[in-house]
Amino acid sequence: MPKIVDHDLQREAFAKAAMRLIGRAGLEGVTMRAVAAEAGLSYGSLFHYFGSKDELLLSTVRYALGKQSDRLNDLSQRFSGLDALEKMLCDDALTSESSHDVWMVWMTFQYQAALRDSFAEVNAELVDGWHDRIRLALIDAQEAREVRADLDVDLEASALWAYSTGIGQLGVLHPDAFPVDRQEALVRACINKLRT
Amino acid sequence: MPKIVDHDLQREAFAKAAMRLIGRAGLEGVTMRAVAAEAGLSYGSLFHYFGSKDELLLSTVRYALGKQSDRLNDLSQRFSGLDALEKMLCDDALTSESSHDVWMVWMTFQYQAALRDSFAEVNAELVDGWHDRIRLALIDAQEAREVRADLDVDLEASALWAYSTGIGQLGVLHPDAFPVDRQEALVRACINKLRT
Amino acid sequence: MPKIVDHDLQREAFAKAAMRLIGRAGLEGVTMRAVAAEAGLSYGSLFHYFGSKDELLLSTVRYALGKQSDRLNDLSQRFSGLDALEKMLCDDALTSESSHDVWMVWMTFQYQAALRDSFAEVNAELVDGWHDRIRLALIDAQEAREVRADLDVDLEASALWAYSTGIGQLGVLHPDAFPVDRQEALVRACINKLRT
Amino acid sequence: MPKIVDHDLQREAFAKAAMRLIGRAGLEGVTMRAVAAEAGLSYGSLFHYFGSKDELLLSTVRYALGKQSDRLNDLSQRFSGLDALEKMLCDDALTSESSHDVWMVWMTFQYQAALRDSFAEVNAELVDGWHDRIRLALIDAQEAREVRADLDVDLEASALWAYSTGIGQLGVLHPDAFPVDRQEALVRACINKLRT
DNA sequence: TATGAATGAGCGTTCATTCAT
DNA sequence: AATGAATGAACGCTCATTCAT
């Protein structure tokens, strides 16, 4: 019998380490050696679990966003309409200490996806999912008469997407100017403008 | 003093080349060799004009944003209030073909500034300038009674900043989902919501 | 003593796998992982049966040449003189599909033996055996008056050795220019020149 | 002005270094670091002159065989028929100390060409050249009535090719059993058999 | 001043080997 | 005995930077 380890757990450990490094120093800080060291394992080990750096990176983004996705799923089941939207955007946009790393991963990944085909595909699927969620919540809100019947749902969905993207980015890059409570206030203000 | 003019022209030529490369392939595409080749100048001379890669990068961002800043200055002299705001945001946010490279430089730089102290300083000054412009235009609008008197100017300035940041980023990264006319529509819709 | 049989069988399975890999992609294609995979056995077990890669390689060459040696022994018992020589050289030199892997192993091994002492020793013994066989067959032929009495047996043995070496190498490396029937024709032509 | 160096001369220096290493330790001994060290230059320099290891290797084989080719051209101008053939084969086959490295390069290259497409192309051209030379010399000899009129020139050319290949290989791999004078004797014996 | 050659640290990746179960 | 995880040295290659002319 081989040394018993949970393969997926190890992969996750490396993904976590990579996420921490991205959070701390961006993609440039993610060298395979640094990831191994951060995970407390040997360099060679890393390649036992990931065939290449790209594979690790893709796993990292899936891990980082997977957790968030789970939370969003939970929220969209427990709430609906503008309520759900507010909760989702707050959860997503808010760059508190705990989600800082996730946002850095997300930004990094978006950037990479614009430059490299291998990332673009995965990105498209993640991005579309996010956009859809916003649209559906808006449609819900419209049906519940929380927002005007003639609201341009598509446009507003895009607006909210852009808005949350911007808040997230600024929250990460300028935490002093965009502390969490300000981010929350911005999200609320924006959603309230949609209310009938 | 013709030499000095030459000197600045060379620096600008390199900065332009670096900007094009960033627009095409991100920071990763910017090697000193590639910059020299793109500028059609010799490799060694690059180090005569810039002591290091960082210095070149800083010059590049100053060059890229300087042009935009000039345009904004012009706009803020010719217009005021919400009008100026709309023009400024459209000019800034719109990722048409012509400003794609500038946006890429900007995004790249923001990202670097979050990670490296040497960039953060320069970034702060650029960012503050932008935020101030928005605030001032909003105050103008308030004085001209274009917007409600009790509008939280600070908050809305932040919101517009975040909004334009998000539109710009999405415009660069997802040009298909955010073509220029959509970006414009989003900016207008946002500003119109502020109108009394 | 079934264990011992198992042990040898496993070793042979690995040696076969290594031989196939050498035939397919040369020594560079032989990684310990690839050998285990090709043999359909576990990676770790490979090191139970062979203390090192070198040991595996040595076993591989012994396995590959052992089979051929058996055939040659058989031939030299059933035939003698030039007849035996022709049969032996045809068997040995001919790089048909079935013996391609064996030839690749042989070539690879010769090459290694020239570079590494640990292989040279084993090689010397194999090579000497082959040279002796040719000499003995020539002496037989001489005694049977198939060849001239004043033939320089040593020289001709060397010549035949070189000749078969060359044919084998070219057969492996340039199969289009040296198909089996051409190889056979070359061997026959050479031997016929020795006939009185 | 840059440091003045002869680009081609540096490339040759590296090629020579690579050839020496191949002669000493085979392809496995040719690491880019070892080549740089052997050439007495820095590691990074090497990549200034060769874009990749393959490029270096191809240059090495061209360099190694180019010298030989020059000698052969010279011989085939000064001699003709069997005389030329003998001189050519002696020059080519003889693995004296001075040509040991060349032969190792040649063997190594043949082997690689069988395994890698990128080498096969260059190899084909070199190999064909060699085969043609032998054929043409034989035809010359036939016209000069040095050999029988009904000689199968194609077959004999292949035979000589195989023969010289074998002698060369054995000369390199078993220098004790195949010293230079023996190689020469073998070549002469073989050619004399062709004489009318 | 202008050029490009020279340098070496650092990268992602491979791999034989050792270790723990 | 059998398995596969763990390890780290070495490889080819890139690149900002320095140097020599």
Side-chain angles (χ1 to χ4, degrees), chain D residues 7-193:
Chain D
H7 194 85
D8 291 340
L9 225 57
Q10 288 288 64
R11 282 175 64 95
E12 195 176 302
F14 282 120
K16 271 182 192 167
M19 183 171 75
R20 283 196 299 272
L21 287 172
I22 288 177
R24 202 181 304 149
L27 232 207
E28 298 164 50
V30 184
T31 70
M32 296 303 265
R33 282 170 179 84
V35 172
E38 175 76 20
L41 280 164
S42 79
Y43 186 58
S45 250
L46 188 37
F47 290 90
H48 212 71
Y49 293 97
F50 300 93
S52 68
K53 187 176 181 178
D54 274 18
E55 205 187 303
L56 167 63
L57 256 20
L58 251 14
S59 281
T60 302
V61 74
R62 275 192 227 271
Y63 168 77
L65 301 182
K67 297 216 130 182
Q68 195 164 40
S69 188
D70 291 346
R71 272 207 310 280
L72 292 182
N73 282 339
D74 181 52
L75 288 173
S76 56
Q77 287 193 333
R78 295 197 351 248
F79 302 91
S80 74
L82 291 188
D83 252 22
L85 207 49
E86 186 183 314
K87 297 273 198 300
M88 277 161 51
L89 288 177
C90 277
D91 185 85
D92 184 63
L94 267 42
T95 314
S96 64
E97 202 146 331
S98 69
S99 63
H100 172 265
D101 290 356
V102 173
W103 255 102
M104 284 292 286
V105 170
W106 174 247
M107 273 180 53
T108 298
F109 185 60
Q110 292 276 103
Y111 191 86
Q112 290 301 306
L115 300 173
R116 308 177 48 192
D117 289 345
S118 56
F119 281 41
E121 206 174 329
V122 175
N123 189 41
E125 138 200 345
L126 294 169
V127 155
D128 288 351
W130 181 225
H131 193 197
D132 277 355
R133 254 187 243 277
I134 296 178
R135 277 193 67 242
L136 293 176
L138 268 184
I139 290 173
D140 271 5
Q142 204 169 35
E143 283 170 0
R145 299 180 190 257
E146 291 183 300
V147 301
R148 294 200 326 273
D150 64 344
L151 192 79
D152 183 340
V153 169
D154 259 14
L155 189 77
E156 290 300 335
S158 290
L160 282 170
W161 181 17
Y163 196 61
S164 64
T165 297
I167 290 176
Q169 182 175 312
L170 293 173
V172 175
L173 300 180
H174 306 287
D176 294 339
F178 281 80
V180 173
D181 55 349
R182 185 156 196 90
Q183 292 180 45
E184 250 181 271
L186 286 167
V187 168
R188 296 234 163 75
C190 177
I191 287 181
N192 285 334
K193 281 186 194 152

Side-chain angles (χ1 to χ4, degrees), chain C residues 29-172:
Chain C
V30 183
T31 69
M32 295 304 262
R33 284 204 137 78
V35 171
E38 175 77 18
L41 292 166
S42 83
Y43 182 59
S45 78
L46 187 37
F47 288 87
H48 272 291
Y49 291 101
F50 302 94
S52 69
K53 188 176 182 179
D54 275 16
E55 205 185 302
L56 166 63
L57 257 20
L58 253 12
S59 282
T60 302
V61 73
R62 274 195 231 270
Y63 168 77
L65 300 182
K67 299 217 128 182
Q68 197 164 40
S69 187
D70 291 346
R71 272 207 310 281
L72 292 182
N73 283 339
D74 180 54
L75 288 172
S76 55
Q77 287 194 331
R78 292 190 4 240
F79 302 92
S80 72
L82 291 188
D83 251 22
L85 209 47
E86 184 183 317
K87 296 275 198 296
M88 277 163 50
L89 287 177
C90 278
D91 185 83
D92 185 64
L94 268 42
T95 313
S96 64
E97 202 146 332
S98 68
S99 63
H100 173 265
D101 289 358
V102 173
W103 256 102
M104 284 292 286
V105 170
W106 174 247
M107 272 181 53
T108 298
F109 185 62
Q110 292 276 103
Y111 192 86
Q112 291 301 308
L115 301 173
R116 307 173 52 190
D117 291 344
S118 57
F119 282 41
E121 205 174 329
V122 176
N123 189 41
E125 133 201 351
L126 293 169
V127 155
D128 288 351
W130 180 226
H131 194 197
D132 277 354
R133 256 187 242 276
I134 296 178
R135 277 193 66 244
L136 292 177
L138 268 183
I139 291 173
D140 271 5
Q142 204 169 34
E143 283 170 0
R145 302 182 186 257
E146 290 181 301
V147 301
R148 293 198 328 273
D150 63 345
L151 192 78
D152 184 339
V153 170
D154 258 14
L155 190 76
E156 289 300 334
S158 290
L160 282 171
W161 180 18
Y163 196 59
S164 64
T165 296
I167 290 177
Q169 181 176 314
L170 293 173
V172 175

Side-chain angles (χ1 to χ4, degrees), chain A residues 25-28 104 107-108 110-112 114-115 123 127 154-156 158-159 161-163 165-167 169-170 173-174 178 182 186 189 193, chain B residues 25-28 104 107-108 110-112 114-115 123 127 154-156 158-159 161-163 165-167 169-170 173-174 178 182 186 189 193:
Chain A
L27 232 208
E28 298 163 50
M104 284 293 285
M107 274 180 53
T108 298
Q110 292 276 104
Y111 192 86
Q112 289 302 306
L115 300 173
N123 189 41
V127 156
D154 258 15
L155 190 77
E156 290 299 335
S158 290
W161 181 18
Y163 196 59
T165 296
I167 290 175
Q169 182 175 313
L170 294 173
L173 300 180
H174 306 286
F178 281 82
R182 185 156 196 92
L186 286 167
K193 279 183 194 154
Chain B
L27 233 206
E28 297 164 49
M104 284 291 286
M107 271 181 54
T108 297
Q110 291 276 103
Y111 192 87
Q112 290 302 307
L115 300 172
N123 189 40
V127 155
D154 258 15
L155 190 76
E156 290 299 335
S158 291
W161 181 20
Y163 197 60
T165 297
I167 290 176
Q169 181 175 313
L170 293 174
L173 300 181
H174 307 285
F178 281 80
R182 187 156 194 90
L186 287 167
K193 279 186 194 150

Side-chain angles (χ1 to χ4, degrees), chain A residues 27-117:
Chain A
L27 232 208
E28 298 163 50
V30 183
T31 71
M32 296 303 264
R33 281 169 179 82
V35 172
E38 174 77 19
L41 279 165
S42 80
Y43 186 55
S45 250
L46 189 37
F47 289 89
H48 211 73
Y49 292 97
F50 300 93
S52 68
K53 187 176 182 178
D54 274 18
E55 205 186 303
L56 167 62
L57 256 20
L58 251 15
S59 280
T60 302
V61 73
R62 273 193 230 273
Y63 168 76
L65 301 182
K67 298 216 129 183
Q68 195 164 42
S69 188
D70 290 346
R71 273 207 309 280
L72 292 182
N73 283 338
D74 181 52
L75 288 172
S76 57
Q77 287 195 331
R78 295 196 354 246
F79 302 91
S80 73
L82 292 188
D83 252 23
L85 209 48
E86 185 183 315
K87 297 274 198 298
M88 278 162 51
L89 288 177
C90 279
D91 184 84
D92 185 64
L94 269 43
T95 314
S96 63
E97 201 146 331
S98 70
S99 62
H100 172 265
D101 289 357
V102 173
W103 256 103
M104 284 293 285
V105 170
W106 174 247
M107 274 180 53
T108 298
F109 185 59
Q110 292 276 104
Y111 192 86
Q112 289 302 306
L115 300 173
R116 307 175 50 193
D117 290 344

